[in-house]
Amino acid sequence: MIQRILPRAFSGKASSFLRTATASQSTLAQPLQKDDTILPKMPPFDYTPPPYTGPSAEEILSKRQRYLSPAVFHFYKNPINLVEGKMQYLFDDKGRRYLDAFGGIATVCVGHCHPQVVDAIVNQTNRLQHSTILYLNPAIADFVEALASKFSGDLKVVYFTNSGTEANELALLMARLYTGCHDVISIRNGYHGNAAGTMGATAQSSYKFNVVQSGVHHAQNPDQYRGIFGSDGLKYARDVEEIVTYGTSGHVGAFISEAIQGVGGIMELAPGYLPAVYDTIRKAGGLCIADEVQSGFGRTGSHFWGFEAHGVMPDIVTMAKGIGNGIPLGAVITTPEIAKVLSYRSYFNTFGGNPVCTAAGLAVLRVIESENLQKNSFVVGSHLKQRLTSLKEKFDIIGDVRGRGLMLGVELVKDRQLKTPAKMEILHIMEQMKEMGVVIGKGGFFGNVFRITPPLCFTKADADFLVDVMDYSLSKL
């Protein structure tokens, strides 16, 4: 849907060719200043945020620069001061509305401030918030039962953590204790967390994430776009065989991977790779860990968990991010046999599985089911991918469109043959899209891949607006 006037989401500070939109909620913006260019129209949304009375963006930025670690960064030259969110939309301090095409992967699985999740959190907070599972409470019992029902086979024992990093750290610890072996194999360009162990396993997603750690071996990435074997998963899997044979004693503790690399640029592992690798690892006495922190909870549309698309059954599965719709929550699920190993050690997590977080987690599962969000992810994601693929045919700068469901990536390159990363161009386009009312993520080893991971309540109209804005921004590059 397009119009020749600027929607309210575009008001305030806009590009040089635009007039400032009117401040009235009931009227549209002024016509364009120059050539009456047709601009995408944001889908209507029946909500107006109350006036914001807090500190300005400049004041907040000043405090961040003065008191926060220099490692903390922000998107955009002029960062957005976000003060409210509703479902798939965000609002800044001026009341401008933005379509959130990224935050779903990080925080909001079912939508910003989903009323059922908010009610669950508030109601539980009013009753009880405690530290660990040292006492009985129905919140954790109900959630763990519902979560375990989402797995088949013998994956039935759950441990709760506060984040994906903690979940992956615990999974690696359990595998090493269970197998008695310290050696772990992970995939280059993968991402598993921000603690010492998980940063070691993260390999080469970026040198900033990688921390050298003994016993960690990095296997060739089964990258279907840039990899030397294309989409031949079996050829990539031979590298794992060689690591087992020549890089270890022939015995390994674990293999860990994402089904779709998130931070690594929404990279789907080559077909046939995981089944072959799982077979190799198990023959070497190791356990197979599936990192579902980003690809879980119906995001891929075709399956509830990303690993299911590969036809494998992990020994341990980790999850976080969307599990609590913004509440700090993570989980590890494994078999009763493997779970026993922690009973011989002293493991506890102060806040993992607390009543408020598990109440939120249960509400998320119920919303996914009641609103049929996995199917929505498949339907809307398929439509969105098709439209993005059409953009690839229009713009040579798009080298690849990939992913599934509402976990999609668009890789930008300066030259399709050489696949030269368009690192500066993507920053320019992100700025342009933000000015037009769309916030989007980026990732990949070179930082040249759009990460499109919106809340699962995304609609076809939202998808069309996103693509139309990207189309317009690319045309002005």
Side-chain angles (χ1 to χ4, degrees), residues 85-134:
K86 290 290 181 184
M87 303 309 288
Q88 67 269 44
Y89 294 106
L90 295 164
F91 298 86
D92 70 8
D93 51 355
K94 303 296 192 302
R96 303 183 191 121
R97 177 161 60 103
Y98 300 84
L99 178 65
D100 187 358
F102 180 51
I105 198 72
T107 54
V108 285
C109 178
V110 300
H112 292 280
C113 299
H114 192 289
Q116 288 181 238
V117 180
V118 171
D119 287 346
I121 294 169
V122 172
N123 291 337
Q124 183 59 55
T125 303
N126 283 331
R127 290 197 302 271
L128 175 69
Q129 168 64 326
H130 212 284
S131 56
T132 68
I133 55 175
L134 295 175

Side-chain angles (χ1 to χ4, degrees), residues 375-394:
K375 181 180 179 180
N376 186 69
S377 182
F378 177 80
V379 172
V380 175
S382 298
H383 173 74
L384 177 54
K385 188 175 183 181
Q386 183 179 34
R387 288 219 53 200
L388 291 169
T389 302
S390 297
L391 276 192
K392 180 185 174 184
E393 299 170 1
K394 183 177 179 181

Side-chain angles (χ1 to χ4, degrees), residues 189 205-206 262-266 402 442-449 451:
N189 205 53
S205 176
S206 166
V263 174
I266 315 298
R402 53 182 178 256
K442 74 179 184 72
F445 182 80
F446 302 103
N448 66 318
V449 183
R451 294 170 65 195

